[in-house]
Amino acid sequence: MTDDVMQRERADVGSFEDIAAAAERTTGMSDFGDTAHEEGLRILVEDLNSAEAGLTGKGNYFQRSEVKSALVGRLLTQAQFNARPEHVDVPIERPIFVMGLPRTGTTALHRLLHADPRAQGLEMWITQYPQPRPPRETWETDPIFTAMQQAFQAHHVANPEYLGIHYMDATSVEECWRLLRQTGKSNSYESLANVPRYTEWLAKQDWTDAYARHKQNLQLIGLNDQDKRWVLKNPSHMTALDALMTVYPDALIVYTHRDPVTCIASSCSLSAETTAGHSTTFVGETIGRTQLDLWSRAYHAFHEARPKYDQAQFVDVAFSDLVKDPLGVTRSIYERFGLDWTPEVQAAIEEIDRESRQGAAKPSHSYRLEDYGLTEDEVRARFR
């Protein structure tokens, strides 16, 4: 999401074929690998062009850019897969996945765990333009990185209220959904628009192919950092725990907890802020209904799947504990999973914790459940 995207307008989203052709023109590439992405993205585009989506000119431009970005990502990774075939031999061992309802502290915990010098994650610009991660000291000379960084800075200037909700820049360690959407499967689309047919389709899907490509992306991106453990995060992992564990059977799962009333109110507020002016229908009560449906389904899917697996691979974190003692909570995760806690690790995590409490990344967010047509009793009933 850039300021450029936020300001431009279109009469419609366009057809899937039109967007795919635009992605090919942008990259100069045409090899998508296969057609696994097509079914979901075609349904999504049809939904985005429908009356239910109610998109404005601004919304048309934004949503088209999101679909195009998924296709560009797929083209770029396919080219890299072909150019660097050795990536398939890169081991991914005991990756850590942070998941939980939105606004349960997953972002803060993810960044703390990622602070370990022996960890690696998905930096924002690498999720958009997957490639073997270049050395950090070269990023500022990369034209793609610089353009993205400038776009984020412009967006923060134009939308200062967004900073306290979810701070991002090109260097930020970010969520995995940009990799999952390369196969047309992502909860992110449901958090940005009213897309009932896509929602219905996605609820019936096996996500194993999306996680297989996700892993292939990690193998590619981590080609130069094979000694580092992956630390990943995405609330939507709750939706597809079986697929995740099929592809990553030794995964370590950190699951965050918080009062669902607060989670849903905050999640609705984030969706509303992100899509302000994008739609005449994805507002107020529609945001409330769709986000409550989305995250209550994800919650129950996770809790139904979890008992099938070795519980030594799971650790639970209460949001209140994380707020009170972030260092202690992080250390307890290390102890639970038998990871080495060294003075170097502690110092790095303490530094990230200090940074997170000040400046642009300091969290600050206000929201009200009733703005989205929901009551506390209604939300609690869906999360029993």
Side-chain angles (χ1 to χ4, degrees):
M1 177 178 53
T2 68
D3 193 51
D4 181 50
V5 168
M6 300 291 281
Q7 298 305 323
R8 296 191 183 180
E9 299 191 359
R10 278 183 59 95
D12 56 34
V13 171
S15 67
F16 173 81
E17 285 77 12
D18 173 41
I19 302 171
E24 292 182 12
R25 287 193 303 273
T26 296
T27 59
M29 301 168 184
S30 58
D31 182 7
F32 287 99
D34 57 42
T35 59
H37 59 291
E38 287 195 13
E39 183 181 6
L41 291 182
R42 285 180 184 279
I43 293 169
L44 175 66
V45 170
E46 288 173 11
D47 255 0
L48 292 171
N49 280 307
S50 72
E52 288 100 326
L55 296 183
T56 63
K58 186 176 175 181
N60 286 326
Y61 190 92
F62 178 89
Q63 294 294 348
R64 178 187 172 89
S65 76
E66 288 294 298
V67 177
K68 181 183 171 186
S69 181
L71 293 169
V72 165
R74 187 172 177 99
L75 285 167
L76 291 172
T77 52
Q78 197 60 46
Q80 290 281 347
F81 291 163
N82 297 340
R84 304 297 296 272
E86 68 273 22
H87 77 275
V88 299
D89 298 319
V90 173
I92 308 286
E93 295 176 353
R94 301 185 81 206
I96 296 173
F97 286 86
V98 180
M99 64 186 76
L101 290 174
R103 324 309 293 171
T104 54
T106 53
T107 298
L109 188 53
H110 183 213
R111 290 174 180 172
L112 289 170
L113 292 166
H114 179 259
D116 185 336
R118 300 164 304 180
Q120 63 178 315
L122 290 167
E123 293 83 8
M124 173 64 80
W125 78 289
I126 299 286
T127 69
Q128 298 274 33
Y129 296 91
Q131 59 186 290
R133 186 187 296 104
R136 178 64 183 87
E137 61 272 15
T138 68
W139 292 6
E140 273 73 15
T141 61
D142 186 299
I144 292 173
F145 173 85
T146 353
M148 283 190 66
Q149 193 71 312
Q150 289 168 354
F152 276 114
Q153 288 165 358
H155 176 257
H156 293 326
V157 169
N159 302 271
E161 70 287 346
Y162 200 85
L163 283 173
I165 302 177
H166 189 72
Y167 176 80
M168 293 182 295
D169 68 18
T171 67
S172 298
V173 62
E174 262 300 317
E175 298 183 347
C176 316
W177 57 266
R178 288 177 180 82
L179 302 187
L180 294 170
R181 70 179 179 176
Q182 289 185 20
T183 317
K185 299 183 174 81
S186 175
N187 293 143
S188 65
Y189 297 118
E190 299 174 83
S191 297
L192 297 171
N194 185 30
V195 283
R197 283 167 291 275
Y198 178 77
T199 295
E200 182 182 4
W201 173 84
L202 189 60
K204 299 173 183 174
Q205 297 309 301
D206 177 354
W207 290 50
T208 306
D209 62 339
Y211 279 94
R213 191 172 180 92
H214 178 280
K215 181 178 180 180
Q216 202 175 352
N217 270 277
L218 297 192
Q219 290 174 307
L220 171 73
I221 293 166
L223 197 58
N224 301 326
D225 299 292
Q226 297 187 35
D227 57 331
K228 294 186 176 182
R229 182 189 307 279
W230 278 99
V231 179
L232 303 147
K233 170 247 178 177
N234 193 2
S236 71
H237 293 316
M238 297 166 63
T239 307
L241 185 64
D242 286 332
L244 187 156
M245 297 299 279
T246 297
V247 174
Y248 299 104
D250 60 350
L252 305 175
I253 309 298
V254 180
Y255 182 65
T256 53
H257 300 255
R258 191 181 186 184
D259 181 356
V261 168
T262 304
C263 296
I264 295 301
S266 183
S267 178
C268 288
S269 175
L270 179 60
S271 290
E273 190 65 50
T274 306
T275 61
H278 288 193
S279 171
T280 58
T281 61
F282 192 66
V283 294
E285 293 186 8
T286 300
I287 289 179
R289 173 179 51 78
T290 56
Q291 300 317 291
L292 180 58
D293 287 349
L294 166 60
W295 296 116
S296 60
R297 283 198 319 271
Y299 174 88
H300 290 295
F302 175 83
H303 285 282
E304 287 167 15
R306 176 172 171 169
K308 303 175 192 175
Y309 304 102
D310 181 356
Q311 295 307 296
Q313 291 176 248
F314 292 77
V315 65
D316 294 272
V317 171
F319 178 79
S320 56
D321 292 338
L322 180 62
V323 170
K324 280 187 294 189
D325 186 11
L327 187 69
V329 164
T330 310
R331 183 166 188 165
S332 71
I333 293 169
Y334 272 66
E335 290 169 352
R336 166 78 175 192
F337 292 147
L339 307 177
D340 289 336
W341 182 268
T342 65
E344 183 185 27
V345 169
Q346 179 162 329
I349 290 172
E350 286 175 336
E351 177 60 25
I352 284 291
D353 183 43
R354 275 193 297 273
E355 289 178 9
S356 72
R357 295 170 187 271
Q358 57 195 352
K362 180 182 179 181
S364 174
H365 187 197
S366 59
Y367 38 81
R368 298 189 315 160
L369 197 63
E370 56 265 34
D371 291 341
Y372 305 99
L374 299 173
T375 66
E376 289 194 13
D377 288 345
E378 185 180 4
V379 172
R380 292 195 197 287
R382 295 288 290 274
F383 285 90
R384 281 181 187 143

